[in-house]
Amino acid sequence: MAGAASSAQEWVRRSVMPNGLAIITLDRPQALNAMNVDMTALYKKYMDEWSTNNKVHAVLVESSSPRAFSAGMDVKGVAAALQKDLEMPMIPEVFSNEYKLICAIARYPKPYIAFMDGITMGFGIGISGHGRFRVVTERTVLAMPENGIGLFPDVGFAHIAASTPGHGAVGTYMAMTGAKITTPADANYLGLGTHYIPSTKLESLKLALLHADLSSNALNAIEMLLEGYKVEPETESSLKPLLPAITACFGANLSIVDTVDALKQHQASDDSAVAGWAKGALAGLAKGAPFSLCVTKHHFAAVAASTNADQKDDLSQIEGVMKIEFRLGIRTSTRPDFIEGVRAVLIDKDQRPKWQPGSIEDVDMGDVKAVFAPFETPADELKIPDTVA
């Protein structure tokens, strides 16, 4: 355990600058800054300490490598542990640590800035997409590919997706297909990015943040700096003109079968852009585990409906979403699809997973709804403070 702790300290480095800017630097480039359980716990420890430290006025999160901000959770490590023992106590700890950190970021009392430079996927979006300031560059690649390894797009992405255009349809499309968002214009359109700043300007921006006066009004000072550095994307959003098609195929009122049927119809569109998009979306769905796709559709539809309703309930808040996802994370990770997905995509890389069940039509929706049910023992539920925004 001592070795793991020391590795975490090397991979999640911290510093507090004289002007009160606290910095977390992710430094595990060989793994694209994939976050393991020790790294996540250390990250949360730093955030908790800084939240009540009067000498800290803002937090900046960055990567030591231009290739990736963070590729997500260390799924290989989790899958390896599960192969040894499906009852591993580490599994609830993994998801609990992640989801509590996400809630802390979403409700952080001080300005939180993420430099989402390079690959930003899965848990990488979890530790950036819920923050106040989300800086994207021309190198940013955003994706939620979890269906392709037999899990589901978690880290509260359903909460983010619910506020995307089309009453959440664009975010649901991204989650279900694993589509990569590779342009600043699309990142901004989705709401994942708040500021597009070219990568060549990041170091200058960081220096400006280090020398800014954050003592009296850190939020205002940071907003002014970011506004001064941001630029308009060089291209228009490719997703914006596709919004009618995306909404028609990924609306919250549609079942997974409805979605597939609608995409097949749009694949025959006279509009080549729509037809090409539908073809790519179908190819993305084909890579996902059928059970995971059904879980994703059910979850994202419920969160979108709650978020966009006049009367809000628990699912309109990040805490409520994370409590549901804790159940889903534990239950989907212990199904055969997860270990098989990691094998096919990340280990053997044959890209030919054998899912159970093998098709959407064979998925029992009763089994899908069962993974959302409360645990038999209330003490097993995720414990986080309820906060109303």
Side-chain angles (χ1 to χ4, degrees), residues 320-333:
V321 174
M322 298 321 306
K323 288 178 181 179
I324 295 295
E325 292 194 358
F326 185 67
R327 300 172 190 167
L328 301 181
I330 290 174
R331 287 169 171 156
T332 59
S333 66

Side-chain angles (χ1 to χ4, degrees), residues 346-364:
L346 300 175
I347 299 175
D348 297 341
K349 300 183 179 179
D350 59 25
Q351 310 300 326
R352 298 181 65 180
K354 294 180 174 61
W355 303 124
Q356 300 179 33
S359 70
I360 290 169
E361 292 75 15
D362 291 333
V363 175
D364 185 331

Side-chain angles (χ1 to χ4, degrees), residues 234-313:
E234 293 83 357
T235 60
E236 297 294 321
S237 168
S238 64
L239 294 174
K240 188 174 182 178
L242 293 169
L243 182 59
I246 295 174
T247 304
C249 296
F250 290 93
N253 60 316
L254 301 175
S255 70
I256 181 69
V257 173
D258 293 336
T259 290
V260 172
D261 289 343
L263 284 170
K264 288 178 178 177
Q265 292 176 14
H266 281 76
Q267 194 175 215
S269 171
D270 293 334
D271 185 329
S272 60
V274 170
W277 166 80
K279 181 179 180 181
L282 282 168
L285 286 176
K287 294 180 181 179
F291 189 86
S292 296
L293 290 171
C294 292
V295 169
T296 301
K297 190 69 182 73
H298 187 81
H299 180 48
F300 276 64
V303 176
S306 177
T307 302
N308 294 295
D310 292 332
Q311 296 294 323
K312 307 299 183 188
D313 61 19

